[in-house]
Amino acid sequence: MDSSVEKLIIIGSGPAGLAAAIYAARGGLTPLVIAGREAGGQLMLTTDVDDFPGFEEGIQGPDLMMKMRKQAERFETRFISEDVLSVDFSQKPFTIKTETKELKAQTVIIATGAKATWLGIDSETRLRGRGVSACAVCDGFFFKGKNIMVVGGGDTAMREAQHLSKVASKLFVVHRRDAFRAQKALVDLVTSKPNVEILYNKTIDEILGEDKVSGVKLKDTVSGEVSEMPIDAVFVAIGHKPSTEFLKGQIDLDEKGYIKVRDEVFSSVDGVFIAGDVSDFRYRQAVTAAGAGTKATLEVEHYLEQ
């Protein structure tokens, strides 16, 4: 094999990509990770991580990503801090074009993740990680016994609300329309909770607070009236967008842009493997992403041996 052809290129440097790199490097695959301009994934926007095994006192999201990266580097993983512009999976070796390089690879693991869709207001950005979150499982525990607000009307919002109803003193679900688009069974489950109140025809104009969330300004979508409401945390649940723009036409995607997988890590292209939130719209956890990265690398090893 031409020495200029990599055995394995990993696209993405969140928990899935870094776990894949650690296993690949220890397995002698000398992986190359295309980390991207925004390396580290969603955890780079997270403060306290209390649910990743092995850190009894918790750890900051960026610190966890740095530890995983250093662990991969210890086994001589190489990194490129550029975005992938395009790929060609039509023939082998595969071709991956970044901002300044054209790379060849026998195998590829795609672990580019998905980004939460946000409301797009300045106060939301300023208070992210200080009471504003997009992950109830990750951050809900920090607001046990508090007044919590969930924004959204789809299945994701209902699942987030169902989880948060277990820890909140009072939970408010805000939806911009007069009816939810989520499955009826999920809506019925949430609305049956005694501590849940639904606020239809409302949007958040502003999230209040200096160092942490203290309230919100709500706008009535029918009357236009704006009112203030005290709240301790805001969970935005209006969807996620997988980072797969560069893959269109090269690999099978579903209608929302997530990569279609079979047997957990196999894509529609022989030799291209998938890990993490780029295909997993159900769990979206750092530990499940890391597990998927591990599985993907083990399948790469088997593929190359064959």
Side-chain angles (χ1 to χ4, degrees):
M1 176 62 67
D2 184 343
S3 61
S4 65
V5 178
E6 303 286 347
K7 290 181 182 177
L8 169 63
I9 288 179
I10 299 167
I11 307 175
S13 57
L18 293 178
I22 291 166
Y23 269 75
R26 292 189 73 248
L29 298 182
T30 60
L32 175 65
V33 176
I34 304 176
R37 291 288 181 186
E38 297 179 9
Q42 288 287 291
L43 281 185
M44 297 302 287
L45 304 175
T46 305
T47 51
D48 299 310
V49 178
D50 264 351
D51 51 13
F52 198 91
F55 299 93
E56 70 275 16
E57 299 298 326
I59 186 171
Q60 296 288 293
D63 292 341
L64 176 58
M65 289 297 89
M66 186 54 65
K67 285 180 177 293
M68 290 185 72
R69 176 161 176 155
K70 286 181 177 178
Q71 188 176 359
E73 289 174 335
R74 180 161 67 89
F75 300 117
E76 299 182 356
T77 298
R78 294 158 295 143
F79 287 84
I80 296 176
S81 297
E82 296 183 12
D83 289 333
V84 172
L85 302 182
S86 65
V87 298
D88 182 358
F89 293 156
S90 63
Q91 59 183 356
K92 296 176 182 176
F94 302 125
T95 301
I96 298 171
K97 291 183 179 179
T98 70
E99 296 160 59
T100 66
K101 296 175 175 60
E102 182 172 299
L103 305 165
K104 301 285 186 180
Q106 290 176 261
T107 60
V108 175
I109 293 176
I110 301 171
T112 46
K115 295 181 179 179
T117 303
W118 297 95
L119 300 173
I121 54 179
D122 291 342
S123 53
E124 170 191 56
T125 303
R126 179 172 56 83
L127 291 167
R128 199 174 295 168
R130 300 177 179 181
V132 175
S133 173
C135 181
V137 174
C138 311
D139 300 326
F141 182 79
F142 298 119
F143 303 99
K144 189 172 184 179
K146 303 288 188 180
N147 293 329
I148 301 174
M149 182 170 285
V150 172
V151 184
D155 288 356
T156 298
M158 293 303 106
R159 289 193 174 97
E160 297 282 273
Q162 197 274 334
H163 179 84
L164 291 168
S165 69
K166 300 173 185 177
V167 299
S169 172
K170 181 77 175 181
L171 180 68
F172 300 91
V173 181
V174 174
H175 186 42
R176 59 183 175 175
R177 299 190 177 94
D178 60 2
F180 293 120
R181 65 183 186 279
Q183 300 174 49
K184 184 178 184 300
L186 289 174
V187 174
D188 289 347
L189 180 64
V190 169
T191 54
S192 69
K193 306 286 185 180
N195 63 333
V196 172
E197 182 177 338
I198 309 299
L199 302 176
Y200 291 113
N201 297 317
K202 297 283 192 299
T203 59
I204 292 182
D205 250 15
E206 185 182 354
I207 300 173
L208 306 173
E210 291 300 321
D211 297 325
K212 62 180 182 178
V213 172
S214 62
V216 295
K217 283 186 178 179
L218 292 177
K219 183 177 182 179
D220 190 295
T221 58
V222 178
S223 68
E225 179 184 351
V226 176
S227 59
E228 288 191 13
M229 181 177 182
I231 211 80
D232 299 299
V234 176
F235 285 80
V236 181
I238 56 177
H240 287 75
K241 184 179 181 182
S243 301
T244 55
E245 288 292 325
F246 68 97
L247 294 168
K248 288 183 177 177
Q250 295 293 327
I251 202 167
D252 286 352
L253 307 174
D254 69 13
E255 65 278 2
K256 293 184 179 180
Y258 288 94
I259 299 175
K260 291 182 178 180
V261 295
R262 56 182 176 81
D263 294 336
E264 299 193 47
V265 298
F266 293 89
S267 76
S268 59
V269 178
D270 188 42
V272 177
F273 303 85
I274 313 302
D277 293 8
V278 74
S279 64
D280 174 21
F281 49 82
R282 183 177 181 87
Y283 298 107
R284 293 198 299 266
Q285 299 299 304
V287 69
T288 54
T294 303
K295 293 177 186 178
T297 292
L298 294 175
E299 293 297 345
V300 166
E301 290 179 345
H302 179 70
Y303 177 86
L304 291 174
E305 286 169 1
Q306 298 302 310

